[in-house]
Amino acid sequence: SIDLQEYGMSKIPPPTIGLDFAQLLNDSTTSDFIIKSNEDGPIIHVHRIILLARWPHFGNMINSGMTESFNSTLTIPEPYAIVQAFVYYLYTDIIERQLPIYTVADLMILGNMYLIPRLTSL
Amino acid sequence: MSSRKQPKGKIRPPKKPNSADAQFNDNWDRLAQAIREIHKKNASILSFEELYRNAYNMVLHKNGDKLYNGVREVITQHLEEVAVSQVVPAFPLSGASSSQTNPNGAGGANFLKVLKTVWEDHTTCMLMIRDILMYMDRVYAKTANVPLVYDLGLDLFRDTIVRSQNYPIQNHLLEVLLQQIKLERENEIIDRTNVKASIDMLLELTDASTKDTVYATDFENKFLETSSEYYRVEGQMLVGEYDAPEYMKKVDKRLNEEEQRVRHYLSQTTEPKIRNIVEEELISKHLKTVIEMENSGLIPMLRNEKMDDLGRMYKLFGRVVKGHDEMKSAISDYIRELGKAINETVTSNTTAEGGNAASGDKQTGATVAVRWVQEVLDLKDKFDKVQNLALSNDKAFQTSFNEAFEYFINKNSKSPEFISLFIDDNLKKGLKGKTEEEVDSVLDKTITLFRFIGEKDVFERYYKQHLAKRLLLGRSVSDDAERGMIGKLKVECGYQFTTKLEGMFNDMRISSDTMTDFKEYLDKSVLEKPKLDLSVTVLTSTFWPMNLSASPRCNLPPELTKACGTFQNFYLGRHSGRRLTWQSNMGTADIRGSFKARKHELNVSTYQMVILLMFNDKQDGESLSYEQIKGESDIPEADLKRNLQSLACAKYKILVKEPKGKEINPGDQFNFNNDFTAPLQRIKIQTVASKVESEGERKETREKVEEARKHQTEAAIVRIMKDRKTMEHNLLIAEVVKQLQSRFMPNPALIKKRIEALIEREYLERATGDRRVYNYLA
């Protein structure tokens, strides 16, 4: 076999960036924005900077000068499970495996609505 | 989507609303209200997410078209309101067309300011509306093939505000913009930001039919038209009021301003257009007027060497098609005029000199030549400087200058002789006061003049004559300088041109070797040694310009005759089959003269020596008459006169002439000047300096040149025909001219005559079929 090391190549470990970001999700100390769902479920602590990078719709919203940007709060009128899965996707680029199929389906609908083609194609 | 009634685990199709219209109306009312709030700048009370979902649902439920049209209506309505409530009240009071009554343009500026606010508000709102309706843009607008909502907003703004059918907004806007620009052209300070905002707005709006910007369709042409008119008037005014340099500065400033204006608040696409207008109105239309301005136009600039102004003119006029051509021809005419003046002063001088040539003023001839060349060189320097400092060394100008120089230099038929004399003057006296480098640079410049000469063969002839005199009389300043000059000529004209000149040098070298051998020969010889040192220069007759075929008459003293005989024996013994002729008119002699005060060594010409030796047999005070000297020496009359002049009338008076005077006349009496004194032991009696030829000599030179040309022409014809074998008349003439023009411009009649001569001598024949074709006969 070829010694890749000898050719200056080394095995690159798989990326961990998604999991690293997942650590930040719901971290209330560093969070600067809140997402609520339609139920009285728990609020989700998020970071503007990460959502700005991942979600164009969020950028438009922040720049709109409407209530969301003032109150640093976005209410997504969907069940908590779906909102949670959606935010998790935004942070990690991963759709959790153990999700029930209908939740995944709802995620797809969100992807369509928010014009996130990557999410609908995952 | 917000309510899920179907069992989980299934992917739901988009649900059908029960009462679709009611649902839509409800949603739309809320959205329209929200847009109105946005227009009222109350966005902060709205929820972005809610509005977005609202619009999303409408599109999802196939109500995209209703939504789209609704939005259009709301925006149009709003813009109509804006037009009435904001824009119209801001119309400049005095009316758009009369900027006179409103000199500061304050009303206009205010109008632009209002328009700027209206535009900014509109775009801000449109951005928000676009973000809310993003889903509509992506999903509905694409499939329905309608403009994206932001572009829709632009179109609505264009039609409702800028090109409003109800209010003369467009007129006001254009008038105000043009008025603002006019104010700025007249050095008023305007608020460029407002102008720029309006211009940017027009640039952002698109004309539906042309797909071009509204700026281009509505504004630009009007702007260019008014600019044209403005600068047409200004051009006429400036030309009347200012002198050329001042005018050009103004034009420069205008060009700069317009460029700045475009850069600051117009579209870059306008830049070349407005530039063309200014160039056309301020430069093209007034080219001649500015060039010919009395006391300040092109010629006065040249006369006073105003390099900055010239440079400015060059740059400015280069912008328009004819600009440089006009400049070139004006400068060329000026050069010709100056050249003509130089030629005229010289001819008037030479004719004046012709009158007293007999008075023996030998210097004048050469001086005139040197002065002519110097003046031409000064002129050349001047225009080189202009070329260099003001014209960026433009090749086209150089060519036209060269043509002008060529023209007037060749107008002076004596120029080849003058240039050769000038070189002679420098190579002869050069080191007096000039360093070798200086001489070299002067000669380099002279070469540039040489280039202009059409009749290079005439120059060659004179150069040979002058070089011969320098070499034989040992008056050349240095061999290196001479060779350097020949090198330069060789570069210009090639090997052929200089072979004979180099041959002359060779003769000089070989002669000096021969003399060394001759001395050895004498030392070993048993023969009686001559009582004087004889130094002989053997010249190859074909290399040298003089007629060397016969010895001129002159009775040499017996001593000398004998020495000559010895040399002749020596030389012919070594080189059989050669013939020597003695050129006593070109020799020099060192003799010793005993005067009352002291003895002097005199360096004189051979003829002078012959004359002086005659006085050896005479008693003190005994005189010889002109006729006696002439009879006894047998020296040709012209030479005799010149030599007597040098002895009796020049700086050192070895002889005393009766009656006194500068001229030698038949009947004059000559005495040996026993009272002669001079501070130096060794005295050089100046031989006659090189001078401009007399008319007779000139004619002779001409004839020789003509003769040489005949030969060269024939040689060229034969060379060409030998190569081509057969050739048509005109082609042959053209080819001959091409080959010879580096030496002189042969005229076709001459060539024709030579062709006929060659046919007569059976080198060529006319072709049997076509009389205009020649064949070469081997």
Side-chain angles (χ1 to χ4, degrees), chain A residues 57 60-61 64-68 70 74-79 82 102 105-106 109-110 112-115, chain B residues 1-2 4 8-9 11-12 38 43-49 51-53 56 128 131-132 134-135 138:
Chain A
H57 175 83
N60 292 339
M61 183 191 299
S64 68
M66 297 185 190
T67 45
E68 288 88 347
F70 285 108
L74 162 63
T75 305
I76 301 178
E78 306 280 349
I82 297 171
Y102 51 83
D106 280 345
I109 291 169
L110 277 187
N112 173 50
M113 181 175 86
Y114 290 136
L115 305 165
Chain B
M1 190 173 148
S2 50
R4 197 181 297 118
K8 294 185 176 183
I11 297 172
R12 292 163 291 131
I38 289 177
S44 58
I45 61 164
L46 304 167
S47 161
F48 185 87
E49 181 69 15
L51 296 172
Y52 184 88
R53 280 173 176 262
Y56 162 77
M128 279 189 209
D131 288 346
I132 293 168
M134 186 67 79
Y135 194 80
R138 292 289 172 86

Side-chain angles (χ1 to χ4, degrees), chain B residues 338-442:
Chain B
L338 292 178
K340 199 173 147 208
I342 295 177
N343 284 346
E344 269 164 12
T345 49
V346 167
T347 19
S348 69
N349 266 340
T350 35
T351 39
E353 186 239 350
N356 54 16
S359 72
D361 197 354
K362 294 159 203 148
Q363 287 299 19
T364 322
T367 321
V368 165
V370 169
R371 219 181 56 213
W372 182 83
V373 175
Q374 194 55 55
E375 274 176 34
V376 176
L377 279 180
D378 289 348
L379 194 64
K380 180 95 174 68
D381 268 352
K382 181 183 170 115
F383 283 95
D384 281 348
K385 207 162 105 193
V386 171
Q387 167 76 351
N388 201 357
L389 294 177
L391 305 177
S392 324
N393 286 319
D394 187 313
K395 284 273 190 308
F397 274 81
Q398 186 67 63
T399 316
S400 113
F401 289 4
N402 287 350
E403 277 164 11
F405 272 99
E406 214 172 300
Y407 172 80
F408 84 77
I409 286 176
N410 286 310
K411 271 275 165 186
N412 178 5
S413 62
K414 290 179 187 164
S415 54
E417 185 185 359
F418 282 180
I419 292 173
S420 177
L421 273 173
F422 181 79
I423 297 172
D424 185 59
D425 192 62
N426 271 287
L427 285 176
K428 224 160 51 185
K429 302 179 198 160
L431 287 187
K432 284 182 198 161
K434 279 186 193 166
T435 66
E436 242 170 278
E437 283 80 28
E438 279 169 349
V439 173
D440 202 57
S441 87
V442 170

Side-chain angles (χ1 to χ4, degrees), chain B residues 622-659:
Chain B
E622 194 178 336
S623 65
L624 285 169
S625 72
Y626 174 77
E627 284 74 16
Q628 274 175 304
I629 297 173
K630 184 170 181 284
E632 220 169 295
S633 65
D634 204 21
I635 297 172
E637 193 159 345
D639 286 328
L640 179 62
K641 274 189 182 172
R642 284 197 311 188
N643 280 295
L644 280 171
Q645 234 167 10
S646 335
L647 286 171
C649 315
K651 187 174 168 194
Y652 300 111
K653 294 187 172 54
I654 314 292
L655 297 180
V656 181
K657 181 171 91 74
E658 273 307 324

Side-chain angles (χ1 to χ4, degrees), chain A residues 44-84:
Chain A
I44 308 170
H45 295 278
V46 293
H47 304 79
R48 285 170 184 248
I49 195 93
I50 292 176
L51 296 184
L52 271 173
R54 297 280 297 158
W55 192 18
H57 175 83
F58 184 77
N60 292 339
M61 183 191 299
I62 291 295
N63 293 324
S64 68
M66 297 185 190
T67 45
E68 288 88 347
S69 57
F70 285 108
N71 303 333
S72 293
T73 305
L74 162 63
T75 305
I76 301 178
E78 306 280 349
Y80 172 75
I82 297 171
V83 175
Q84 156 70 24

